[in-house]
Amino acid sequence: MSGGNIPLNHQFLLEVLHAASSQSQELVQQASAQLKEWEKQSGYWILLQDAFLDRSLPVELRWIAIITLKQGVDKYWRKTATNAIRKEEKQHIRSRLLPSSIDEAQPQLAVQNAVIVGKVARLEYPLEWPKVFTDITTIIRQASNATANGQNDEQATLRLTRSLSILLHVVKELATGRLSRTKSNLQSVTPEILKVLGDVYIRHIQVWQSLLSQQPVPAERAQQMMVISLSALKIMRRLIVAGYEFPNRAQEVNQAWTLLRDHIWGFFNAEKDIIASAEINMLLKKHVVNIGKVFLDVINHHQAAFALLPGTLELLGRYWDVVVTHGEALALQSKNTVQGINSTGTGTGDVRVVEDETEKERRQFREKVALQGMLLFRGCLKMIYNPTTTFKYRHKVEKEEIKNATALFKDQLFTPQTVTHCMEVLVTKYFILRPSDLDGWNEDPESWNEQWENAIESYEFLIRPCAEKLFNDLVVNYKEVLAQPLMSVFNSIGSIAKDDILIKDAIYTAIGLAAGVLHQSLNFDRFIHETLVNEIQVSQPGYNIIRRRVAIMIGQWVSVKIAIESRPTLYKIMQHLLNREDPLNDLVVRLTAAHNMKRCIDEWDFRIDAFLPYVDDIFHKLMALINEAEQTETRMGLLDVIGVIVDRLEHRVAPYAEQIVQILPPLWEQTGDEHLFKQAILSILTKLVCAMKDKSVQYHHLVIPLIRYSVEPGSGMQVYLLDDALELWEATVRSTPAPASQDMLDLFPYLIGNLDIASVTLRKVLEIVDSYVLLAPRVIIETYRVQLFAGFAGLLGEIKPEATGIITRIVEVLIRAAKQIGGDSALNVLGVELVNSEFLVKIFATLRESYEANLTTGPNKRHPPTAVMVTDCFSLVARIVLANTAWFLDVVRLIAERNGQSLDDCMKWLLDEWFGHFVNMGHPSQRKLNCFALTMLLETNQRWILERLQDLMTVWTDVVTELRDEDGANDTLVYWRPSDEEESTEPETPERTRRNELTTSDPIHSVDATQLIKHHLEKVQNENGGPDAFRETWVANVDQDVLSEFAKLGLV
């Protein structure tokens, strides 16, 4: 490809498509860029379709063309899209969509075109493309007539296959539409389409059944017919579910349902007899599975309809027969496995008959059908006890249907006998470990354990998790029925032969899952002491299976009902199961014990004192287990267990911290780019630092480099690790005693860099800045004030009011620190930077905006900034006044000069807004702070404040009255240091100590409001001619009611 602007025409497009299919990455990138550039040009999409339709071109070029066209339909077909495809082009493209792929020989190209037809139909049916269904069904009818007459018409077969594929994608698109208009469009055409498809399905079933009865079987022709009937079945499934509001009321659905109900068992039983070819056998199995999907989709989306469609109870009975039959086959396999375990003496052998590939596929197929049967029973239980809720109005007929359906299943399906039988089948057949389970256990224990830990989420695809889910549903909803049978199962443990390990494991599985029901009947504490303690000490081959199950069962029961007195026994059991020296404690047993140890610790009734005697040994064994594990997911799970223990131990973790910290650097290095594991390491370090508080300083040599690596923009890991690194950073700063190390202070510039991100992490970044200001105020002021104030100024006006409040509070602390560190000279330096950075300029601009907005009324009324933001801005201004009144005037003068105002003019509008906003200040401490600032302005003896004496008296009256205690004497915001006896014995973080000192040194919490007001009132009187002259000049202008209320305070 040559550079420059390439004009759009057929030849150049083919050249670019050829480049896009090249092996050269550079050519592909150039071609992709050119195709993207052409997207905006008229005629481009038609030329792409031309390239696809040109069957003389290589398949690779046509593939690129159709894929690009599909992406364009996604992006530009809607009228509202930017650079949307013009109406004339759409019409031209649409007119060729069906003819273009009806006889397309390349299946992968035909599928892509079918996808495009579906997307276009979803957007344009019925307004712009009203005949799409008519056109497709016409082709289907014509082709079906030609293929179903027994003649080998290859062209008709191809047209029928392609048209069914197109119809499938159109129905898929419309069925997934959420708008009621889309659904109603599909429902309006469903009856007619279903009749057409039903005819295709029946006729082609008959054709391939006839072909399969011939000798020899014409395999290729039979496969083609089976593909057609399977395609029709897939479309019918979606139409029955999405095309009807009430499928049970439609005659055609009832007919199709009856037909499918009969076909499924005929196909299911015929599967083992058909030996024509593996492909035909597979297609027959697909028919059975897809018919099952019809039943599952109906019960999931139309619960009442499923129950009311003909023959549903018989259907469920046949499915349960499959469940039972398959379960018996599994039990037989497991019986042979037990014999193998007992004969080899290792727990790994068996005497199984090796399955050939055909038998294995047949077993997997029957398992899939049995799984569908279990899912159907779960759907029935859900309909009875947890029906789908809807906000849509239900008519009387619909309510009656739901009532009848529920009664049908409750009274005739789930009888006490049936429920008990289902429970017994699940426990005795499906809770037994299979040979393949034990093979996985021995061959790859880590992967096997990880898979089983998460298997319950895959219940729709795996039969063991589905059996457990169904068992849970039965137990929860039929407690009264199953309580006694379950206790009978439990009581049978004593009669089970010692070497019948898998049966015992299955019963223990049921006891664990049924904890929520059995806890009222079963004394599990006695069971622990009398049975489980002995079970885990048996050294018989295969008892690693029982040990694993004991750990799981304890994890299931600990949050239900295990006495606090029994907890030490639980910890001893887990301690024993974690012991690597015992040969029966293989890796799976120890990993399971570790996982369930977390459940024992992370629960409501946990008592730290009972756990402490076992901590040292358990920590040691967990660390060894992490070193032994190889897979990232396993190590992450073990780190999570350790993290929970650290959380529970709190400050008591110090003796074990070194063990934890030693394993983390090698793990960090071994993980490479696996950011999830790195996140887990950062998380456990955060918990460790929080627990150890100031003692965590000894691990700064590890923590600080990890923080730097995780937040450094060039590290490549910032996007993955930033959130967890900020949590660790915050915990580290809060736990660091002053003075901080230089390494800790050198991290601060990264915070300033992260201020620009202004994303979800901004609040956390600001909180860490706040902690740094408390930790090292001198360093922040002397070294970073310029960058910090510039960063703050850039954020103002762009962030939420809550974040603005954090920023103003940080600056308040810096102002207080500057005065303490360097007095008035430090304040002057700080003030100049606050103004030059535009920070204070923006603060005053916010106040001015609020002032001007409050002056507007009527239609031209402007909304001021939020009251919370204005309060935070005034609180910052108040801190400046409290620091030094003269400095405040200098700062205001600088800002006024920037705005072309005099100091007096600026103070006039500022005080107007300040006094006017005072009533909107909610927190007592903020009200007191602003009251102090307004009072201290009397030190200036300026007319603009003396004229506001009435406003001042109103503020004084409100604040003093609010702050006085019940006796009317003391200021309730003045805090006193607690005595030594009152102080908590729990260690505090260094930051908590720093914040306490900041609070107790704050004038708001150390100076009585009445004393400060009285002092300044006396001072201003003496400096303005004495009490009499002051009264005549200024007090005389105060309203008598305001004056009399103020006089009641007794300050004058």
Side-chain angles (χ1 to χ4, degrees), residues 630-665:
E630 297 177 355
Q631 295 186 7
T632 301
E633 293 81 3
T634 306
R635 289 177 163 187
M636 285 174 60
L638 293 170
L639 277 180
D640 188 37
V641 177
I642 293 173
V644 171
I645 296 176
V646 170
D647 264 348
R648 288 299 198 173
L649 290 178
E650 295 178 333
H651 63 279
R652 301 176 188 86
V653 77
Y656 318 105
E658 190 64 34
Q659 292 184 54
I660 302 172
V661 169
Q662 283 179 354
I663 68 166
L664 296 181

Side-chain angles (χ1 to χ4, degrees), residues 1006-1020:
S1006 59
V1007 178
D1008 191 294
T1010 56
Q1011 299 301 321
L1012 183 133
I1013 295 168
K1014 187 174 182 179
H1015 167 75
H1016 279 82
L1017 195 52
E1018 291 175 352
K1019 185 172 181 289
V1020 76

Side-chain angles (χ1 to χ4, degrees), residues 969-1005:
N970 298 318
D971 186 333
T972 54
L973 283 182
V974 175
Y975 297 161
W976 303 101
R977 290 181 181 275
S979 63
D980 293 339
E981 292 79 11
E982 294 172 334
E983 290 183 356
S984 170
T985 56
E986 290 289 324
E988 284 188 340
T989 61
E991 175 159 320
R992 174 48 54 197
T993 304
R994 290 192 285 269
R995 289 203 181 277
N996 288 339
E997 292 172 354
L998 185 72
T999 299
T1000 53
S1001 64
D1002 189 348
I1004 306 307
H1005 301 295

Side-chain angles (χ1 to χ4, degrees), residues 436-505:
S436 57
D437 297 328
L438 299 178
D439 289 344
W441 181 325
N442 292 306
E443 291 168 6
D444 189 357
E446 276 190 62
S447 297
W448 186 89
N449 185 72
E450 189 67 27
Q451 178 186 342
W452 273 67
E453 290 288 353
N454 303 313
I456 200 67
E457 302 302 324
S458 305
Y459 69 89
E460 292 182 336
F461 312 103
L462 299 175
I463 201 161
R464 169 64 185 248
C466 188
E468 292 187 6
K469 281 278 192 180
L470 179 55
F471 177 83
N472 268 331
D473 292 344
L474 291 169
V475 167
V476 168
N477 295 307
Y478 292 94
K479 297 177 183 177
E480 298 79 7
V481 174
L482 291 178
Q484 188 56 45
L486 282 170
M487 283 303 297
S488 299
V489 171
F490 171 74
N491 292 329
S492 68
I493 293 173
S495 62
I496 296 174
K498 193 174 182 180
D499 57 1
D500 205 349
I501 295 167
L502 298 185
I503 288 292
K504 186 177 286 189
D505 177 70

